[in-house]
Amino acid sequence: MSDAPLPAALAEIAEDFSSASNPMKLDLLLEFSEELPALPDRYVGQLDKLERVDECQSPLFLTVEVDDGERLEDRPVHLFFDAPPEAPTTRGFAGILHEGLDGLSAAQILDVPDDAPMRFGLAEAVSPLRIRGMVAMLARIKRQVRAKTATAASI
Amino acid sequence: MSTDNSKIAGYAHPERLVTTDWLAEQIAAGAVGAPGGIVLLESDEDVLLYATGHIPGAQKIDWHVDLNDPVTRDYVDGQRFAEVMGSRGIGRDTTIVVYGDKSNWWAAYALWVFTLFGHEDVRLLDGGRAKWIEEGRELTREVPTPTPADYPVVERQDAPIRAFKEDVLEHLGRPLVDVRSPGEFSGELLHMPDYPQEGAMRGGHIPGAKSVPWARAANEDGTFKSRAELEDIYLTEQGLSPTDDVVAYCRIGERSSHTWFVLTQLLGFDKVRNYDGSWTEWGNAVRVPIER
């Protein structure tokens, strides 16, 4: 694991998970799954506008919006996810990332270490195989932020 | 209900399958979770699904966390298995009913692992979790607290129903059933559509394997097709015979557990082995033959 720090909100979630017993971790993950906000109206029925994350065991779609601003530090990022209720684990991973990253600046999101999903102590509770889904979500979020800020900068 | 019962009566081992009606009656009669009664287990792909609501009295068993060894790519040993079972109030002679998501994939997988340890009375709920919910039956979030039971430490007997890579190499030329999707069979896809890349270096199938995707054995509602419909597929169309020595495989052995159940328990095949190394082993192994 790298030593790079997590953003404060994500670090707090990681701390909550790490200090919980395995059954408590699952309860906590379920709460995140239930608290994942629904897609706003402009994306409902428009899954083709979202990116599909194939690495998740059940289909997950996500997209990011980056507000305008001079510098990456001044451009808040908003995250949107969609996953079915029959996929609570996938929804839980999305819920953690939403709670921990939504509203941060593009610069802060790009600085999130790629191994962040490994810092929740979730591997032994849900198996390392399943964690791959969250690693893939984070990678796509960062890639989208990079792409969306690059386009604006080049205009 | 009567059609379900007569469908089940037609299978080679009807005692291996129960209906949602039967289960609901057992629950109403207080037989599930009672001392000496039936133990109901939910086995899902998604590790949290049970917690979102399950059949009253059901306990969770997780294919990955409970049944796989945490270090070696293998199933748990007799000691660990005894702990997993005993902690759920299961004794050697307990009747176990397993159900799960995805047309009982993972339920069939758990049942197959239980069979490696020779647990006698283990049954599947026909239609699994989806059918129970579809019928508007009760779900609960209440997690039962079973009285632990003494489950003996029994040695796993792999040989009769489990094949390893070496066994498959010796088996070449005899019937093999590849239960993956057509794209995986042809080698176009290295993994299931919609699923994570569980990397294999090569695509294709084991030479001589017949392509019979597992889902052909299931109806839309997740129940198993009738014996006559299954015979049409596996006997008439594929030319298999219940006396054949068959090896079934998929990607990691979970979908082929479903087919193993169909062939052995529903159609009465004598010798079917599940090759759980499956494509994640074969597609990565050096110098094994591959057909495309």
Side-chain angles (χ1 to χ4, degrees):
Chain A
M1 255 184 268
S2 68
D3 297 328
L6 299 180
L10 198 60
E12 200 177 307
I13 300 170
E15 174 55 32
D16 288 347
F17 271 100
S18 303
S19 58
S21 63
N22 279 349
M24 289 294 297
K25 284 175 189 167
L26 293 184
D27 289 345
L28 206 49
L29 192 59
L30 185 60
E31 282 175 32
F32 278 102
S33 139
E34 289 168 345
E35 286 162 10
L36 178 68
L39 282 179
D41 286 347
R42 62 183 182 281
Y43 288 120
V44 171
Q46 312 266 327
L47 287 184
D48 54 322
K49 290 188 180 163
L50 279 66
E51 181 178 8
R52 182 186 169 110
V53 182
D54 285 318
E55 292 85 347
C56 294
Q57 284 197 332
S58 300
L60 174 112
F61 295 84
L62 68 83
T63 194
V64 313
E65 291 176 0
V66 186
D67 291 348
D68 292 337
E70 287 291 309
R71 307 172 309 144
L72 290 179
E73 286 76 7
D74 309 323
R75 303 185 60 186
V77 173
H78 308 282
L79 306 177
F80 303 94
F81 299 90
D82 188 65
E86 314 84 71
T89 302
T90 298
R91 288 181 61 86
F93 292 158
I96 289 174
L97 294 174
H98 187 272
E99 176 83 17
L101 301 179
D102 189 67
L104 296 187
S105 71
Q108 285 172 305
I109 292 206
L110 293 176
D111 277 346
V112 175
D114 293 333
D115 68 0
M118 308 303 177
R119 302 197 196 177
F120 292 77
L122 271 168
E124 68 268 32
V126 305
S127 93
L129 195 68
R130 290 170 169 136
I131 302 289
R132 286 187 195 179
M134 189 160 44
V135 174
M137 283 181 217
L138 177 61
R140 312 254 176 156
I141 289 167
K142 291 175 69 171
R143 199 174 65 198
Q144 283 200 25
V145 169
R146 211 170 284 124
K148 287 173 183 177
T149 50
T151 313
S154 62
I155 288 170
Chain B
M1 177 179 171
S2 59
T3 35
D4 285 352
N5 287 336
S6 63
K7 181 192 87 165
I8 289 180
Y11 293 132
H13 297 282
E15 73 281 5
R16 289 294 209 157
L17 213 52
V18 305
T19 62
T20 48
D21 280 329
W22 181 89
L23 180 61
E25 283 164 22
Q26 300 300 316
I27 293 170
V32 171
I38 296 163
V39 171
L40 180 62
L41 298 177
E42 178 164 330
S43 173
D44 296 319
E45 175 174 71
D46 192 302
V47 69
L48 279 184
L49 197 53
Y50 168 88
T52 66
H54 51 263
I55 300 179
Q59 301 179 62
K60 176 167 112 171
I61 188 152
D62 184 69
W63 63 280
H64 212 286
V65 177
D66 294 318
L67 299 177
N68 273 296
D69 184 278
V71 181
T72 310
R73 183 173 172 190
D74 198 2
Y75 299 102
V76 291
D77 61 12
Q79 179 66 47
R80 176 74 190 126
F81 186 70
E83 289 164 17
V84 167
M85 300 298 262
S87 66
R88 287 168 177 74
I90 299 171
R92 191 66 171 160
D93 56 0
T94 299
T95 297
I96 305 173
V97 174
V98 197
Y99 72 96
D101 59 354
K102 315 230 165 190
S103 304
N104 277 331
W105 266 16
W106 305 93
Y109 186 76
L111 181 144
W112 178 76
V113 174
F114 292 177
T115 307
L116 290 173
F117 289 96
H119 192 93
E120 200 71 34
D121 189 358
V122 50
R123 315 172 185 190
L124 288 184
L125 172 67
D126 198 21
R129 181 180 165 93
K131 184 159 195 276
W132 182 271
I133 293 172
E134 186 61 32
E135 291 170 346
R137 298 180 190 267
E138 187 188 352
L139 292 179
T140 179
R141 286 194 169 197
E142 197 179 314
V143 176
T145 43
T147 311
D150 276 327
Y151 198 89
V153 175
V154 286
E155 202 183 328
R156 216 176 59 215
Q157 297 291 329
D158 289 334
I161 60 166
R162 184 181 185 195
F164 296 102
K165 187 177 108 220
E166 297 71 26
D167 301 323
V168 179
L169 283 165
E170 272 178 35
H171 184 85
L172 293 177
R174 278 174 287 166
L176 276 157
V177 180
D178 184 318
V179 316
R180 297 174 300 161
S181 59
E184 292 172 278
F185 181 82
S186 69
E188 268 166 66
L189 292 174
L190 286 174
H191 61 104
M192 278 187 279
D194 302 345
Y195 271 72
Q197 182 62 265
E198 283 175 37
M201 301 291 288
R202 290 288 188 266
H205 55 266
I206 301 177
K210 300 168 188 299
S211 171
V212 193
W214 72 277
R216 292 190 61 196
N219 291 313
E220 283 284 308
D221 67 356
T223 56
F224 289 102
K225 286 185 178 163
S226 70
R227 184 165 190 172
E229 291 169 315
L230 295 173
E231 284 177 347
D232 277 348
I233 298 169
Y234 296 97
L235 274 52
T236 312
E237 179 192 306
Q238 298 295 329
L240 295 171
S241 153
T243 54
D244 282 344
D245 175 359
V246 181
V247 169
Y249 71 94
C250 56
R251 178 186 52 122
I252 55 170
E254 84 297 9
R255 286 173 285 176
S256 41
S257 298
H258 189 274
T259 299
W260 173 85
F261 184 86
V262 168
L263 293 176
T264 59
Q265 308 304 311
L266 305 185
L267 293 179
F269 278 55
D270 300 324
K271 187 171 185 190
V272 181
R273 285 172 296 166
N274 180 18
Y275 169 40
D276 58 278
S278 278
W279 201 256
T280 50
E281 178 178 45
W282 198 272
N284 284 314
V286 177
R287 299 219 304 183
V288 298
I290 290 176
E291 204 167 75
R292 293 191 68 147

